[in-house]
Amino acid sequence: MSAQSPSEPFMHAHSFSPESAGPRRACVLGLAAASTLLGTWEMHRLLSVRGTTAPEVVLVALFTLCFGWIALSFWTAVAGFLQLALGGRMPGLRWPTAEEEGSRLTSRTSVVMPIHNEDPAAVFANVQATYESVVATGHLESFDFYVLSDSTRPEAWVAEELAWADLCRRVGGQGRIFYRRRTDNTGKKAGNLQDFCERWGRHYDNTVVLDADSLMDGRTLVKMARLMELNPSTGIIQAPPLCVGRSTLFARLQQFAGRVYGPVVAAGAAAWQLGESNYWGHNAIIRTAAFIEHCGLPVLPGQQPFGGHILSHDFVEAALMRRAGYTVWLVPELGGSYEQPPPNLLAYAQRDRRWCQGNLQHLSLVMAGGLHPISRGHFLMGVMSYVASPLWLLFLLAGLVAALHDGWVSLAHLPEHAPLGFDSEGALLLFSVSMGMLFAPKVLGLTLALSRGEDTARMGGRARLVASVLMESVLATLLAPVMMLFQSHFVFGTLLGYRVTWSSQQREDADLPWSEAARRHAVHTAFGAALAVGSFLLSPGLLAWMAPVVAGLLLSIPLSVFTARASLGLWAERLGLFLMPEETEPPTVLSRAREVTEEHAVAPVADAVDHVLTDARAHALHLALLESQPGLETAPVALASAREKLLGGVVEPLSAPERTAVLLDAGTLAEARERRLAQRVS
């Protein structure tokens, strides 16, 4: 290894040692535990004024779990703030010297993007922008690109083929940019990656995994590949993606929050987890041979929702990589890593539903043999990220039950009592501390943003930046109870055996109809009304305490509708609110992706079979791709039925299975096209 650069006092030339993480973890986890104990003791003191009852015991237990989650998040954010404020790199990961920065890469890296019924224009625009950004670094010879399709709609399949061919023609990417559609979707995205590894993975030292909406700067890809070369014991490096590219008010709130508060949280997690960090499934680089050898996913025993293929595979792969002796790093300072947020609250909830089931599956893996304790902690934290919502819900309901049980608040209205019958000053103090810890990442993120003049100017200036944080906090507070009920429904539904389906996400901006919002939020509104009435009957003071929760639920329908509107998001942008530096002065890769999307829109394919039969270019391209995948199997019954309709003169449209069967059979396509051409001539 080369000597440590004197200009990098925080850079260690030695490989990661678990001992170096000990003091950091002791500080963060120890302070979180101490805070939780103090908060629990104070809650117990407040509730035990008239003796301890069964409902109070339940209330304290629920409070401990919820407050512990807040405390861990708070101290992680504090660690991140200190890391960013003091500067320097974390110990254990060797960074290149100035001389090494200018050298050629010695490794080969594949950049893979699994897709599933996505908009091909957006997908291939991102691929082109990333590809051209790598070209600009001068290291293209070290990278190949793969688009791995799991699309089930025939029209999406054919459109992807045409978009891929156009991309290769535009950038001269033949032999460098590859496209493959899988006919067997076993294992979903994880299965798609496994198929890639089995077919082509061993040709590459590293593999960068992207999502369908991912976009990465070429310089970041080169840095990641170089870090893998310099740190042979590293198995995964995760570059936290920044949300960009959407215009709805809901999306802009997420983008702004991720830009201002996200770095504090990411830096904090990286600061105490070090080489035992987590993997988020995309915008990361993995050591391919180690991944193939050690990260094969188990099929869990039993049926869904807890059995079968693992839906959230990334946490498991990180745990398996660490178990094999390789380190896993979250490296926030890499930058140049982007993705798109869901455009509205309902799309956000739809994505959360699948993630919830996947994370709850991890409960069966917590005690798996040989895992590092931090990996087990990642599983539990992933579970807690969803279980926290029903715990908060149960905490609210348990508080009402405790009040009724002990008669602390009479139905006759006793204004001299606190809402739950305990010391009002103590209750207010505990509530204030809890809220302060909850909002601390926002305050710390704002503090850092204000301290950096250049970023502050690009975010609208100090006044607009502060106003944006305040408005985002208010809207986030109102949306939080709605997500609490959504996630509670997902958790309880999973426990009761509800199975999720794997579907493509909504990515495009679109107004949300009032009827759809009313249908999806009717229960939330009704629950908010019941909570308001019940709280008021117990005590008007209690209703005041519950006001943020009640207001969010009662306003769930208009909140969902209005935050889904791009017009409001663009109006806020014109006012200089919720701005990001990446919008004011977009990086080249973001600007290029937008330009390509607008310049090379992919015309939708109305009927996949008809398009392949009538368009000579589409026909030749499709047959060539079929020939490159010998051994493809088609459904014989569907193919026979389709041939009867296409070749037997039966005037009836093909069903979706029939269209797929035809598109998999080169002989039928060739015969049907010849017949159509002959009919035109005659």
Side-chain angles (χ1 to χ4, degrees), residues 36-37 39-41 43-44 47 53-71 384 386-402 420 430 434 484 488 491-492:
T36 303
L37 288 174
T40 300
W41 175 259
M43 187 67 175
H44 171 70
L47 289 174
T53 63
E56 292 165 6
V57 172
V58 173
L59 200 61
V60 171
L62 291 170
F63 176 83
T64 301
L65 292 172
C66 295
F67 192 83
W69 184 241
I70 293 176
M384 189 62 184
Y386 289 97
V387 173
S389 286
L391 288 177
W392 276 116
L393 177 60
L394 292 173
F395 176 74
L396 293 176
L397 297 178
L400 297 177
V401 171
L420 291 179
L430 184 58
S434 300
M484 176 184 70
S488 297
V491 171
F492 292 137

Side-chain angles (χ1 to χ4, degrees), residues 288-308:
T288 313
F291 188 81
I292 293 173
E293 185 174 353
H294 302 291
C295 296
L297 294 175
V299 177
L300 301 178
Q303 300 296 316
Q304 281 197 16
F306 290 102

Side-chain angles (χ1 to χ4, degrees), residues 5 113 177 203 407 607:
S5 169
M113 178 183 284
I177 304 175
H203 297 299
D607 186 307

Side-chain angles (χ1 to χ4, degrees), residues 162-294:
L162 295 170
W164 166 73
D166 287 340
L167 168 61
C168 290
R169 176 182 51 80
R170 289 196 300 268
V171 302
Q174 295 83 356
R176 188 71 69 183
I177 304 175
F178 304 94
Y179 169 84
R180 185 272 287 134
R181 175 187 175 270
R182 226 176 25 140
T183 58
D184 178 8
N185 301 137
T186 300
K188 311 306 180 187
K189 178 182 175 181
N192 201 349
L193 292 173
Q194 179 182 345
D195 180 78
F196 166 80
C197 289
E198 292 173 351
R199 293 174 182 268
W200 303 287
R202 295 194 183 277
H203 297 299
Y204 301 95
D205 301 287
N206 310 306
T207 297
V208 174
V209 182
L210 303 180
D211 258 359
D213 60 347
S214 294
L215 185 63
M216 293 198 74
D217 192 299
R219 292 169 297 182
T220 301
L221 292 175
V222 171
K223 285 180 186 177
M224 294 166 77
R226 198 177 297 283
L227 285 173
M228 295 296 276
E229 290 180 358
L230 295 174
N231 297 272
S233 63
T234 292
I236 301 176
I237 295 177
Q238 174 72 63
L242 178 67
C243 287
V244 296
R246 296 268 60 90
S247 299
T248 66
L249 182 57
F250 182 84
R252 290 186 60 77
L253 291 171
Q254 292 180 82
Q255 292 169 179
F256 176 78
R259 183 60 172 82
V260 178
Y261 326 136
V264 172
V265 177
W272 68 267
Q273 294 170 12
L274 295 180
E276 278 121 9
S277 293
N278 215 344
Y279 166 48
W280 300 346
H282 58 94
N283 293 47
I285 189 169
I286 60 179
R287 193 170 301 279
T288 313
F291 188 81
I292 293 173
E293 185 174 353
H294 302 291

Side-chain angles (χ1 to χ4, degrees), residues 249-587:
L249 182 57
F250 182 84
R252 290 186 60 77
L253 291 171
Q254 292 180 82
Q255 292 169 179
F256 176 78
R259 183 60 172 82
V260 178
Y261 326 136
V264 172
V265 177
W272 68 267
Q273 294 170 12
L274 295 180
E276 278 121 9
S277 293
N278 215 344
Y279 166 48
W280 300 346
H282 58 94
N283 293 47
I285 189 169
I286 60 179
R287 193 170 301 279
T288 313
F291 188 81
I292 293 173
E293 185 174 353
H294 302 291
C295 296
L297 294 175
V299 177
L300 301 178
Q303 300 296 316
Q304 281 197 16
F306 290 102
H309 291 281
I310 297 174
L311 296 183
S312 294
H313 56 93
D314 39 15
F315 282 31
V316 182
E317 289 161 344
L320 294 175
M321 185 71 81
R322 190 67 192 100
R323 185 175 71 173
Y326 292 89
T327 54
V328 179
W329 294 89
L330 173 65
V331 187
E333 59 261 47
L334 280 171
S337 174
Y338 309 99
E339 65 175 344
Q340 292 180 346
N344 59 60
L345 180 61
L346 296 184
Y348 185 93
Q350 178 193 16
R351 185 186 67 177
D352 250 21
R353 183 166 221 156
R354 186 178 73 248
W355 287 1
C356 175
Q357 179 177 320
N359 282 20
L360 291 180
Q361 283 181 308
H362 297 164
L363 283 171
S364 62
L365 300 173
V366 171
M367 300 309 297
L371 296 183
H372 191 279
I374 295 296
S375 298
R376 302 186 198 277
H378 285 310
F379 287 153
L380 293 175
M381 285 188 285
V383 170
M384 189 62 184
S385 65
Y386 289 97
V387 173
S389 286
L391 288 177
W392 276 116
L393 177 60
L394 292 173
F395 176 74
L396 293 176
L397 297 178
L400 297 177
V401 171
L404 288 171
H405 180 270
D406 290 341
W408 286 343
V409 181
S410 72
L411 297 179
H413 173 54
L414 299 175
E416 69 273 16
H417 286 286
L420 291 179
F422 44 70
D423 170 27
S424 59
E425 292 185 3
L428 182 60
L429 176 61
L430 184 58
F431 176 79
S432 300
V433 170
S434 300
M435 291 299 100
M437 295 175 73
L438 192 62
F439 284 94
K442 298 178 185 291
V443 176
L444 296 175
L446 175 61
T447 302
L448 284 175
L450 290 172
S451 68
R452 297 168 179 169
E454 183 179 348
D455 279 357
T456 302
R458 292 188 295 169
M459 299 177 85
R462 290 179 178 271
R464 289 187 177 89
L465 176 56
V466 172
S468 296
V469 169
L470 291 175
M471 285 187 280
E472 187 278 334
S473 299
V474 170
L475 289 170
T477 300
L478 292 174
L479 291 169
V482 184
M483 282 309 303
M484 176 184 70
L485 289 190
F486 264 132
Q487 292 180 342
S488 297
H489 171 65
F490 301 157
V491 171
F492 292 137
T494 301
L495 294 176
L496 293 173
Y498 178 84
R499 305 180 183 184
V500 301
T501 56
W502 189 51
S503 58
S504 56
Q505 300 177 29
Q506 178 187 345
R507 304 193 193 276
E508 296 302 314
D509 297 338
D511 287 354
L512 181 66
W514 282 93
S515 58
E516 178 67 8
R519 184 180 70 84
R520 297 291 298 276
H521 295 296
V523 173
H524 304 152
T525 305
F527 185 80
L531 194 61
V533 171
S535 301
F536 182 80
L537 290 176
L538 284 170
S539 167
L542 178 59
L543 179 58
W545 282 67
M546 302 288 287
V549 176
V550 169
L553 295 175
L554 291 178
L555 295 173
S556 59
I557 295 174
L559 273 175
S560 195
V561 169
F562 288 123
T563 57
R565 292 186 176 175
S567 58
L568 288 179
L570 295 173
W571 174 73
E573 182 181 8
R574 289 193 295 271
L575 293 178
L577 299 174
F578 312 124
L579 285 179
M580 304 164 57
E582 290 74 15
E583 292 175 318
T584 309
E585 298 178 15

